[in-house]
Short mmCIF file of all heavy atoms in Angstrom, two decimals:
data_model
loop_
_atom_site.label_atom_id
_atom_site.label_comp_id
_atom_site.label_asym_id
_atom_site.label_seq_id
_atom_site.Cartn_x
_atom_site.Cartn_y
_atom_site.Cartn_z
N MET B 270 -3.30 -27.30 -19.91
CA MET B 270 -3.62 -26.97 -21.31
C MET B 270 -2.48 -27.23 -22.28
O MET B 270 -1.32 -27.07 -21.95
CB MET B 270 -4.02 -25.49 -21.41
CG MET B 270 -5.43 -25.22 -20.97
SD MET B 270 -5.83 -23.48 -21.17
CE MET B 270 -7.42 -23.46 -20.36
N ARG B 271 -2.88 -27.61 -23.48
CA ARG B 271 -1.93 -27.66 -24.60
C ARG B 271 -1.70 -26.25 -25.11
O ARG B 271 -2.44 -25.34 -24.81
CB ARG B 271 -2.53 -28.49 -25.75
CG ARG B 271 -2.61 -29.97 -25.54
CD ARG B 271 -3.66 -30.57 -26.46
NE ARG B 271 -3.64 -30.03 -27.83
CZ ARG B 271 -3.34 -30.76 -28.91
NH1 ARG B 271 -3.02 -32.03 -28.78
NH2 ARG B 271 -3.37 -30.22 -30.11
N ASP B 272 -0.67 -26.12 -25.94
CA ASP B 272 -0.32 -24.80 -26.43
C ASP B 272 -1.46 -24.15 -27.23
O ASP B 272 -1.75 -22.97 -27.07
CB ASP B 272 0.94 -24.88 -27.28
CG ASP B 272 1.88 -23.71 -26.99
OD1 ASP B 272 2.00 -23.34 -25.80
OD2 ASP B 272 2.44 -23.16 -27.95
N ASP B 273 -2.11 -24.95 -28.09
CA ASP B 273 -3.18 -24.34 -28.90
C ASP B 273 -4.34 -23.89 -28.01
O ASP B 273 -5.00 -22.89 -28.28
CB ASP B 273 -3.66 -25.31 -30.00
CG ASP B 273 -3.92 -26.72 -29.47
OD1 ASP B 273 -3.83 -26.93 -28.24
OD2 ASP B 273 -4.21 -27.61 -30.29
N GLU B 274 -4.55 -24.62 -26.92
CA GLU B 274 -5.62 -24.21 -25.99
C GLU B 274 -5.25 -22.92 -25.25
O GLU B 274 -6.10 -22.09 -24.96
CB GLU B 274 -5.88 -25.34 -25.00
CG GLU B 274 -6.46 -26.58 -25.66
CD GLU B 274 -6.43 -27.83 -24.78
OE1 GLU B 274 -5.66 -27.87 -23.81
OE2 GLU B 274 -7.17 -28.77 -25.10
N LEU B 275 -3.95 -22.79 -24.98
CA LEU B 275 -3.50 -21.57 -24.31
C LEU B 275 -3.79 -20.34 -25.16
O LEU B 275 -4.21 -19.30 -24.66
CB LEU B 275 -2.00 -21.64 -24.03
CG LEU B 275 -1.52 -22.45 -22.83
CD1 LEU B 275 -0.01 -22.38 -22.74
CD2 LEU B 275 -2.15 -21.95 -21.53
N TRP B 276 -3.56 -20.47 -26.48
CA TRP B 276 -3.80 -19.32 -27.36
C TRP B 276 -5.25 -18.85 -27.27
O TRP B 276 -5.52 -17.66 -27.12
CB TRP B 276 -3.49 -19.70 -28.82
CG TRP B 276 -2.02 -19.62 -29.14
CD1 TRP B 276 -1.15 -20.65 -29.28
CD2 TRP B 276 -1.26 -18.42 -29.33
NE1 TRP B 276 0.11 -20.18 -29.55
CE2 TRP B 276 0.07 -18.82 -29.59
CE3 TRP B 276 -1.58 -17.06 -29.32
CZ2 TRP B 276 1.10 -17.91 -29.84
CZ3 TRP B 276 -0.56 -16.14 -29.56
CH2 TRP B 276 0.76 -16.57 -29.81
N THR B 277 -6.17 -19.80 -27.33
CA THR B 277 -7.58 -19.43 -27.30
C THR B 277 -7.97 -18.87 -25.94
O THR B 277 -8.71 -17.89 -25.84
CB THR B 277 -8.45 -20.65 -27.65
OG1 THR B 277 -8.08 -21.08 -28.97
CG2 THR B 277 -9.93 -20.30 -27.63
N THR B 278 -7.43 -19.48 -24.90
CA THR B 278 -7.73 -18.97 -23.56
C THR B 278 -7.19 -17.55 -23.38
O THR B 278 -7.85 -16.70 -22.78
CB THR B 278 -7.12 -19.91 -22.49
OG1 THR B 278 -7.59 -21.22 -22.75
CG2 THR B 278 -7.51 -19.48 -21.10
N ALA B 279 -6.00 -17.30 -23.93
CA ALA B 279 -5.44 -15.95 -23.83
C ALA B 279 -6.38 -14.94 -24.49
O ALA B 279 -6.61 -13.85 -23.96
CB ALA B 279 -4.06 -15.91 -24.49
N LYS B 280 -6.94 -15.34 -25.63
CA LYS B 280 -7.88 -14.43 -26.30
C LYS B 280 -9.14 -14.24 -25.47
O LYS B 280 -9.63 -13.13 -25.30
CB LYS B 280 -8.23 -14.97 -27.69
CG LYS B 280 -7.14 -14.65 -28.72
CD LYS B 280 -7.50 -15.18 -30.10
CE LYS B 280 -6.93 -16.56 -30.31
NZ LYS B 280 -7.19 -17.13 -31.63
N ASP B 281 -9.65 -15.34 -24.93
CA ASP B 281 -10.87 -15.25 -24.11
C ASP B 281 -10.66 -14.34 -22.90
O ASP B 281 -11.53 -13.57 -22.52
CB ASP B 281 -11.28 -16.64 -23.61
CG ASP B 281 -11.82 -17.50 -24.76
OD1 ASP B 281 -12.11 -16.93 -25.83
OD2 ASP B 281 -11.91 -18.73 -24.57
N LEU B 282 -9.50 -14.49 -22.28
CA LEU B 282 -9.23 -13.72 -21.06
C LEU B 282 -8.71 -12.32 -21.36
O LEU B 282 -8.54 -11.51 -20.45
CB LEU B 282 -8.20 -14.45 -20.18
CG LEU B 282 -8.57 -15.84 -19.64
CD1 LEU B 282 -7.45 -16.38 -18.76
CD2 LEU B 282 -9.88 -15.80 -18.85
N GLN B 283 -8.42 -12.05 -22.63
CA GLN B 283 -7.84 -10.76 -23.04
C GLN B 283 -6.52 -10.49 -22.33
O GLN B 283 -6.29 -9.41 -21.78
CB GLN B 283 -8.82 -9.61 -22.78
CG GLN B 283 -10.15 -9.78 -23.51
CD GLN B 283 -11.17 -8.75 -23.06
OE1 GLN B 283 -10.89 -7.57 -23.05
NE2 GLN B 283 -12.35 -9.21 -22.70
N VAL B 284 -5.68 -11.52 -22.33
CA VAL B 284 -4.36 -11.36 -21.73
C VAL B 284 -3.31 -11.88 -22.71
O VAL B 284 -3.64 -12.60 -23.66
CB VAL B 284 -4.22 -12.12 -20.39
CG1 VAL B 284 -5.25 -11.62 -19.40
CG2 VAL B 284 -4.37 -13.62 -20.60
N ILE B 286 -0.31 -14.06 -24.30
CA ILE B 286 0.04 -15.49 -24.24
C ILE B 286 1.26 -15.69 -23.34
O ILE B 286 1.35 -16.70 -22.63
CB ILE B 286 0.28 -16.04 -25.67
CG1 ILE B 286 0.53 -17.54 -25.66
CG2 ILE B 286 1.45 -15.34 -26.35
CD1 ILE B 286 -0.69 -18.38 -25.45
N LEU B 289 0.14 -15.89 -19.79
CA LEU B 289 -0.57 -17.14 -19.52
C LEU B 289 0.40 -18.32 -19.45
O LEU B 289 0.25 -19.21 -18.62
CB LEU B 289 -1.61 -17.36 -20.63
CG LEU B 289 -2.80 -18.23 -20.23
CD1 LEU B 289 -3.54 -17.64 -19.05
CD2 LEU B 289 -3.74 -18.41 -21.41
#
Side-chain angles (χ1 to χ4, degrees):
Chain B
M270 281 182 188
R271 287 158 43 115
D272 221 40
D273 47 5
E274 294 166 341
L275 281 180
W276 278 104
T277 300
T278 306
K280 279 181 268 182
D281 289 345
L282 298 182
Q283 302 171 51
V284 301
I286 185 75
L289 205 58

